[in-house]
Amino acid sequence: MKIYLVGGAVRDSLLKLQVTDKDWLVVGSNINEMTKLGYKLVGKDFPVFLHPITHEEYALARTERKLGHGYKGFKYHATSKVTLEEDLLRRDLTINAIAQDHLGNLYDPFNGIQDIKKKVLKHISLSFKDDPLRVLRVARFAAKFAHLNFYIHNSTLDLMKDMCNTQELLYLKPERIWKETSSALNTLNPHVYFEVLRKCGALSILFPEINKLYGVPAPAKWHPEIDTGIHTMMTLKIASQLTNDISVRFASLCHDLGKSLTPKHLWPRHYGHGIAGIPLVKKLCKRLKIPNEIKSLSILAVQTHDLLHNIYEQNPEDILNIYNIIDAWRQPKRVKQIALISESDARGRTMFESINYTQGKYFIEIYKYICKIKTKDIFIKHSNINGLDIKKLIYNERLKLLKKFINLYKIK
């Protein structure tokens, strides 16, 4: 029995990146031997074990053969006779098919180390096309390593395009699509993930709401990049520079979905695109089973993302209404989130990337000032008043403070 460190841990170590998870490969063993040694069997589809002390994952070496569609369409073969090279052969990319033994010796039968040096994402064999999830994985790796200037090998991109021309991507489970997408949203350059999906044809299949934004024009005066799809990617790029919050990043991705539905005879203007985008966000989030917190913020983003742009000219009632729309009183973190989404939208334009978006800071400062009001004290002081009157009283007090803040700001 031999044990090797494999996959991302070896790859990231060679790239001098932080290693967070370790996957181990066991060659020359079987289920009975592993359980006798105290390993806990947890794999449902193939033999995976948890180490009795470290709880890290140990998988038996295996081969696989495609028999049907989707993730369940594989037959796995795991015995003590499966070799290290046979197991590495079934993996997706050469950079993920490097093994390291306990002495630190590296085993690299498919030249993954050379491809790391060349900064190329390249498939190992034609069996790559058997698993449609690999289209998303390669896109995610492209986003993960974009800051290191990795690129996808042309032959691998061609395979991905071929895979998108079949019906295989339709067999992907929503949970698996979202898992890859959320991981991509956590990278430094999540926009690269969606750009790669579009390049190979997967965006129109998995994210048609986003794909339809390409080719939709916007006024050149405000959007020198003109194309709404390009603007969306620029917005996501800015959002990822401003925050690690994937709720904000995903909401920024969705903020202009409604522009694909506005009447073409009105283009390049898109009156009412905010409200029009709400059903599209709901449909997308339902289809991919996206968490409710992210869905809720995305809906609010399409409603409010452009309201902050002219906040200095808005009347106090309209400003206060924004806080009411986002339920800022019960969800205070949304104030900063909406401010970041609005800033991403404003800066996600050619030649506007470096503007000082003071509107977002202004929106946050107003909220802090209004929050001087203690609603609990109002309830105690006016305990004899009914709910509707209390609500109106609180509204008036907040409006009074908001007006005071605006006047003080003007004096400054």
Side-chain angles (χ1 to χ4, degrees), residues 49-75:
F49 304 83
L50 295 182
H51 191 281
I53 298 174
T54 67
H55 303 294
E56 292 175 332
E57 287 192 358
Y58 285 67
L60 290 181
R62 67 183 189 270
T63 58
E64 59 189 29
R65 188 159 54 98
K66 187 173 178 65
L67 298 176
H69 297 293
Y71 182 66
K72 296 288 187 179
F74 289 89
K75 183 176 182 179

Side-chain angles (χ1 to χ4, degrees), residues 69-121:
H69 297 293
Y71 182 66
K72 296 288 187 179
F74 289 89
K75 183 176 182 179
Y76 298 96
H77 179 67
T79 71
S80 58
K81 294 183 179 180
V82 177
T83 67
L84 172 62
E85 186 168 336
E86 284 176 324
D87 183 273
L88 295 177
L89 177 63
R90 68 174 177 79
R91 297 170 185 266
D92 50 10
L93 301 174
T94 60
I95 65 170
N96 295 330
I98 308 168
Q100 184 179 45
D101 66 18
H102 70 287
L103 296 175
N105 298 311
L106 295 173
Y107 297 83
D108 181 26
F110 307 110
N111 300 314
I113 296 174
Q114 179 181 331
D115 286 343
I116 286 176
K117 292 177 181 177
K118 291 163 63 175
K119 301 184 184 299
V120 61
L121 303 172

Side-chain angles (χ1 to χ4, degrees), residues 344-405:
S344 301
D345 176 40
R347 292 175 54 192
R349 301 175 292 162
T350 303
M351 299 189 295
F352 289 88
E353 295 92 339
S354 300
I355 62 170
N356 182 18
Y357 190 76
T358 59
Q359 295 95 317
K361 300 178 183 69
Y362 185 68
F363 184 64
I364 293 171
E365 288 305 313
I366 291 176
Y367 178 75
K368 289 179 180 177
Y369 195 81
I370 296 175
C371 282
K372 289 179 179 180
I373 293 175
K374 303 299 180 185
T375 55
K376 186 187 293 185
D377 294 339
I378 295 176
F379 276 114
I380 295 172
K381 186 177 179 181
H382 301 278
S383 58
N384 60 325
I385 298 178
N386 65 49
L388 287 176
D389 288 335
I390 282 282
K391 189 175 181 181
K392 186 175 181 180
L393 187 61
I394 292 172
Y395 175 87
N396 289 334
E397 288 297 316
R398 285 170 175 162
L399 186 60
K400 189 187 301 181
L401 268 186
L402 198 157
K403 289 177 179 179
K404 184 178 179 181
F405 178 92

Side-chain angles (χ1 to χ4, degrees), residues 64-285:
E64 59 189 29
R65 188 159 54 98
K66 187 173 178 65
L67 298 176
H69 297 293
Y71 182 66
K72 296 288 187 179
F74 289 89
K75 183 176 182 179
Y76 298 96
H77 179 67
T79 71
S80 58
K81 294 183 179 180
V82 177
T83 67
L84 172 62
E85 186 168 336
E86 284 176 324
D87 183 273
L88 295 177
L89 177 63
R90 68 174 177 79
R91 297 170 185 266
D92 50 10
L93 301 174
T94 60
I95 65 170
N96 295 330
I98 308 168
Q100 184 179 45
D101 66 18
H102 70 287
L103 296 175
N105 298 311
L106 295 173
Y107 297 83
D108 181 26
F110 307 110
N111 300 314
I113 296 174
Q114 179 181 331
D115 286 343
I116 286 176
K117 292 177 181 177
K118 291 163 63 175
K119 301 184 184 299
V120 61
L121 303 172
K122 185 180 180 182
H123 66 281
I124 296 170
S125 72
L126 290 179
S127 62
F128 173 92
K129 62 182 174 56
D130 291 340
D131 185 357
L133 189 67
R134 288 175 172 174
V135 171
L136 279 73
R137 280 176 56 82
V138 173
R140 174 168 62 83
F141 285 127
K144 179 181 175 71
F145 299 128
H147 68 292
L148 299 177
N149 298 315
F150 270 72
Y151 69 96
I152 302 172
H153 195 276
N154 285 337
S155 62
T156 302
L157 188 60
D158 287 341
L159 268 184
M160 292 165 67
K161 289 177 180 177
D162 290 343
M163 293 163 72
C164 291
N165 287 331
T166 70
Q167 300 296 310
E168 278 295 304
L169 266 66
L170 298 176
Y171 290 94
L172 288 173
K173 298 291 184 184
E175 295 86 353
R176 295 178 68 78
I177 297 171
W178 176 243
K179 183 179 180 181
E180 291 297 325
T181 302
S182 61
S183 294
L185 286 168
N186 271 311
T187 67
L188 292 175
N189 296 282
H191 63 286
V192 172
Y193 172 78
F194 296 97
E195 288 173 345
V196 169
L197 292 183
R198 180 170 183 259
K199 196 171 184 179
C200 70
L203 195 67
S204 62
I205 300 170
L206 303 176
F207 298 92
E209 297 87 353
I210 298 169
N211 189 67
K212 287 176 182 176
L213 294 176
Y214 285 91
V216 176
K221 178 182 178 181
W222 305 113
H223 287 274
E225 74 286 347
I226 297 176
D227 191 285
T228 304
I230 294 173
H231 163 64
T232 297
M233 292 301 111
M234 295 178 71
T235 299
L236 177 57
K237 182 178 181 180
I238 295 295
S240 66
Q241 294 170 0
L242 295 174
T243 179
N244 293 325
D245 185 346
I246 71 165
S247 295
V248 171
R249 294 182 176 194
F250 186 79
S252 297
L253 180 73
C254 294
H255 80 283
D256 266 350
L257 288 187
K259 287 186 177 179
S260 68
L261 296 178
T262 52
K264 290 187 178 181
H265 70 273
L266 295 177
W267 287 2
R269 301 197 176 277
H270 300 279
Y271 299 110
H273 75 278
I275 299 299
I278 294 176
L280 294 179
V281 172
K282 290 181 177 179
K283 182 179 179 182
L284 171 60
C285 292

Side-chain angles (χ1 to χ4, degrees), residues 31-48:
I31 293 176
N32 289 336
E33 183 178 10
M34 294 293 287
T35 52
K36 285 180 181 178
L37 291 171
Y39 289 83
K40 182 181 178 182
L41 179 63
V42 293
K44 294 180 180 179
D45 301 304
F46 44 81
V48 177

